[in-house]
């Protein structure tokens, strides 16, 4: 009888895990993913104007993060650009312009996609900045919609897509109607991303701009 009960309990737990909702997947990701590396594709769709078709722009690159508050986007195509958050400063380097913009990280990362995937230590902290809502499955993914509680920034809302427990996509809508869909490929969680990945030194001769 004890063996039968144990088998039943294990099968019940397995079924519950298989049917975990998207918010549970988000919570598990925040709790367990301390660092990660992935390739990404970003498709930006501008809102249509005057009856014209919406314009799109596609970029590809790599993404790294390390909790708390460190991440790096390296855009490779079609133009090289680097965005690094080192825990104190947010750096943006445009290679073609040889220009670096730096901002105080604390001022710009509050209710942003980066805060969700790289900063928040737990779900309750995230809920202070975002209203979270589970959405129906779509395109083979589970989705959570995160809407900023404070409506001062440019972010209207974002949807976070999970394939099982793996982060698969971010679908970001800004207040101007522009949509940015980022899909992650080959995400390696807790893959030992080194601290050096989040150190940034402006290239020699670059024009450095201190933004408010």
């Amino acid at each position: 009888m004890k063996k039968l009960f144990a088998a039943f309990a294990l099968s019940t737990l397995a079924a519950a895990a298989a049917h975990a909702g998207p918010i549970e997947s988000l919570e598990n990701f925040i709790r367990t993913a301390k660092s990660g590396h992935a390739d990404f594709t970003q498709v930006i769709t501008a809102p249509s104007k005057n009856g014209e078709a919406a314009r799109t722009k596609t970029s590809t690159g790599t993404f790294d993060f390390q909790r708390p508050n460190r991440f790096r986007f390296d855009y490779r195509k079609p133009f090289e650009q680097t965005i690094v958050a080192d825990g104190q400063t947010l750096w943006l380097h445009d290679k073609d312009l040889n220009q670096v913009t730096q901002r105080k990280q604390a001022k710009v990362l509050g209710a942003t996609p980066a805060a969700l995937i790289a900063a928040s230590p737990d779900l309750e902290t995230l809920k202070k900045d975002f209203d979270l809502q589970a959405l129906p499955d779509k395109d083979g993914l589970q989705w959570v919609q995160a809407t900023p509680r404070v409506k001062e920034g440019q972010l209207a809302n974002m949807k976070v897509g999970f394939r099982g427990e793996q982060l698969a996509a971010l679908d970001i809508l800004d207040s101007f109607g522009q949509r940015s869909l980022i899909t992650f490929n080959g995400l390696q969680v807790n893959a030992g991303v080194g601290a050096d990945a989040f150190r940034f030194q402006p290239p020699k001769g670059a024009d450095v701009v201190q933004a408010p």
Side-chain angles (χ1 to χ4, degrees), residues 1-15:
M1 179 64 71
K2 289 182 178 179
K3 290 183 178 180
L4 180 62
F5 178 78
F8 172 77
L10 287 173
S11 64
T12 302
L13 287 172

Side-chain angles (χ1 to χ4, degrees), residues 35-38 63-66 188-198:
S35 65
H37 170 84
F63 167 66
D64 297 275
F65 74 92
Q66 184 182 76
Q188 303 171 41
V189 174
N190 300 328
V193 180
D196 286 347
F198 311 102

Side-chain angles (χ1 to χ4, degrees), residues 136-143 163 179 181:
D137 292 3
K138 182 180 179 183
D139 300 327
L141 302 179
Q142 294 181 307
W143 293 91
R163 183 174 290 106
R179 180 190 180 200
L181 177 62

Side-chain angles (χ1 to χ4, degrees), residues 108-182:
V108 293
L109 289 189
T112 67
L116 187 151
I117 57 179
S120 296
D122 53 54
L123 193 69
E124 293 308 310
T125 301
L126 189 65
K127 286 180 177 179
K128 294 178 182 178
D129 292 321
F130 295 96
D131 176 53
L132 303 177
Q133 178 185 1
L135 300 177
D137 292 3
K138 182 180 179 183
D139 300 327
L141 302 179
Q142 294 181 307
W143 293 91
V144 177
Q145 179 168 287
T147 304
R149 295 189 182 277
V150 178
K151 306 297 183 181
E152 295 178 354
Q154 294 184 2
L155 178 67
N157 65 63
M158 61 180 165
K159 300 179 181 69
V160 192
F162 288 90
R163 183 174 290 106
E165 298 294 334
Q166 283 280 12
L167 175 68
L170 291 175
D171 191 347
I172 304 159
L173 182 68
D174 70 20
S175 57
F176 303 103
Q178 178 174 272
R179 180 190 180 200
S180 178
L181 177 62
I182 302 175

